[in-house]
Amino acid sequence: MKNRITSAKLIILLLILFISFDAAAQVQIRRAMTLMGSRFEVTLVDKDTTTANTHIDQVVSEIDRIENLISEWRPETQLSEVNRQAGIRPVKVDKELFELTERALFFSRISDGAFDISIAAMDKLWRFDGSMDSLPSPHAVHKSVAKVGYQHIILDQEHSTIFLTLAGMKIGFGSIGKGYAADKGRELMQKMGVQGGIVNASGDLSTWGKQNNKKPWAIGLFNPFKPGTMVKVIKDKDIAMATSGNYEKYVDLEGKRYSHIIDPKTGYPATGLVSVTIYGPSAEFANGLSTSIMVLGKQAGLRLLKQYPTYKAVLITDKGQIIK
């Protein structure tokens, strides 16, 4: 009997040691890369370095797959074909692209057109790559806005087609594409059983689980008016976030700063807010809200946000006011 008890104790002890060793064997690996024309960072808490790097490779492949579907710059994508056939004919697309377009039109409707993926038609008018040295003429702005309007994006669910009714129209997913990619990367890793991580698409990110030290992920929001300082640190184990701001992609002309976030109705860069950060369950949804609110402005933007209580916001006005 004594030997049996000793054996049982030994088995329990070995089991405890195995569990402890397994927990201690976890690693936290981070890798940075350029995807979708932007800096991405993938951080995973995994059982070992080799497995973590294999999983990161899978995230990269997933994001590249998404880019090959929704990129407006790669000529071979379905989205590029939709743009080429603007004003000519509907284009049959995969269910994934069709549903992403549906969700984009949802944001257009709830924001009364402040969010509009057809703003892509103005990509040659406003350039934020350092090559712009003068303001576009009012006539050029007015002419370009004529090709913008989500009402002219026609979806046929039965045939899974997208039709841009105006010749010269163009749609793009720069406003929600990175948030969508972050969400899909997180979804893939959760299916693979990865215990925790962050897929960070240039500030649009999705997290799950906890850090290797068992603490929640801590996401800091920097203050563009005070470099090196943060306005808020968000700690949670499952959170998604998106930030729209005018302090990184902009051009200074004639003594005034013009940002890359364009008001679809006026054709001019949005003013009033410097930064809008939205956080909640989905980075894609947060992306749609942050872009909409940047264009709508503080008052109308906060009214829109109140309709979606699972999402919270940090707004910074051009006067430096911080609204949490």
Side-chain angles (χ1 to χ4, degrees):
M1 176 67 71
K2 184 177 180 180
N3 288 338
R4 289 182 181 177
I5 293 173
T6 302
S7 298
K9 286 182 177 178
L10 181 60
I11 291 170
I12 293 171
L13 178 61
L14 288 172
L15 182 60
I16 292 171
L17 287 173
F18 176 78
I19 293 171
S20 299
F21 177 79
D22 185 63
Q26 287 185 341
V27 296
Q28 185 165 312
I29 301 293
R30 181 177 66 177
R31 189 195 304 172
M33 69 288 290
T34 299
L35 297 165
M36 302 178 77
S38 301
R39 178 183 172 87
F40 274 63
E41 283 189 354
V42 179
T43 304
L44 297 183
V45 176
D46 220 328
K47 63 181 181 179
D48 57 58
T49 301
T50 300
T51 305
N53 279 306
T54 298
H55 283 145
I56 291 176
D57 289 340
Q58 291 173 322
V59 174
V60 172
S61 295
E62 172 68 356
I63 294 170
D64 194 53
R65 181 194 68 79
I66 292 169
E67 186 172 13
N68 282 327
L69 183 69
I70 71 171
S71 172
E72 67 205 78
W73 307 109
R74 295 184 178 182
E76 70 277 10
T77 67
Q78 292 182 4
L79 185 65
S80 291
E81 181 64 11
V82 169
N83 290 335
R84 279 192 293 270
Q85 299 302 326
I88 301 173
R89 66 175 181 86
V91 175
K92 185 175 179 61
V93 299
D94 289 351
K95 180 182 178 181
E96 184 177 10
L97 178 56
F98 185 91
E99 292 179 348
L100 184 61
T101 307
E102 275 188 318
R103 295 195 298 274
L105 294 183
F106 165 79
F107 286 115
S108 293
R109 290 190 292 271
I110 66 171
S111 68
D112 191 27
F115 179 100
D116 196 326
I117 56 174
S118 68
I119 200 74
M122 301 185 71
D123 62 346
K124 293 181 180 178
L125 187 66
W126 294 96
R127 302 183 308 278
F128 302 94
D129 57 3
S131 64
M132 193 171 181
D133 56 11
S134 62
L135 287 172
S137 69
H139 174 72
V141 174
H142 178 74
K143 186 178 179 181
S144 67
V145 171
K147 303 296 183 182
V148 175
Y150 71 94
Q151 302 90 341
H152 302 293
I153 304 171
I154 307 301
L155 303 183
D156 183 338
Q157 189 170 34
E158 181 181 355
H159 299 97
S160 191
T161 61
I162 302 174
F163 181 41
L164 311 182
T165 62
L166 303 178
M169 275 191 77
K170 185 178 179 181
I171 60 175
F173 291 97
S175 49
I176 58 173
K178 293 183 185 66
Y180 176 65
D183 284 342
K184 293 296 286 185
R186 175 176 66 178
E187 178 184 317
L188 176 63
M189 289 297 95
Q190 288 178 315
K191 286 181 179 177
M192 300 295 292
V194 178
Q195 295 185 25
I198 304 176
V199 180
N200 184 350
S202 291
D204 299 334
L205 55 88
S206 291
T207 78
W208 72 100
K210 293 183 179 181
Q211 300 182 61
N212 195 26
N213 59 11
K214 307 305 177 186
K215 293 182 179 180
W217 300 104
I219 311 299
L221 305 183
F222 287 95
N223 187 340
F225 288 99
K226 297 179 180 179
T229 64
M230 288 182 285
V231 298
K232 187 177 181 65
V233 176
I234 299 169
K235 295 182 179 182
D236 209 333
K237 66 175 184 177
D238 294 294
I239 196 166
M241 178 187 299
T243 297
S244 297
N246 68 5
Y247 50 89
E248 289 186 342
K249 291 178 68 177
Y250 61 86
V251 60
D252 289 318
L253 295 170
E254 300 178 9
K256 187 176 180 180
R257 176 167 294 184
Y258 297 87
S259 79
H260 73 289
I261 299 176
I262 309 297
D263 185 332
K265 295 181 179 179
T266 67
Y268 286 94
T271 59
L273 293 172
V274 169
S275 172
V276 175
T277 297
I278 306 292
Y279 55 101
S282 161
E284 178 197 323
F285 201 94
N287 239 172
L289 287 177
S290 66
T291 302
S292 299
I293 293 172
M294 275 292 293
V295 174
L296 287 170
K298 182 177 71 172
Q299 299 301 333
L302 290 175
R303 285 196 296 271
L304 174 62
L305 183 66
K306 285 181 179 179
Q307 299 177 39
Y308 303 95
T310 57
Y311 289 85
K312 298 179 181 180
V314 178
L315 280 61
I316 303 177
T317 72
D318 56 6
K319 304 300 182 184
Q321 180 188 12
I322 298 170
I323 304 161
K324 300 178 183 178

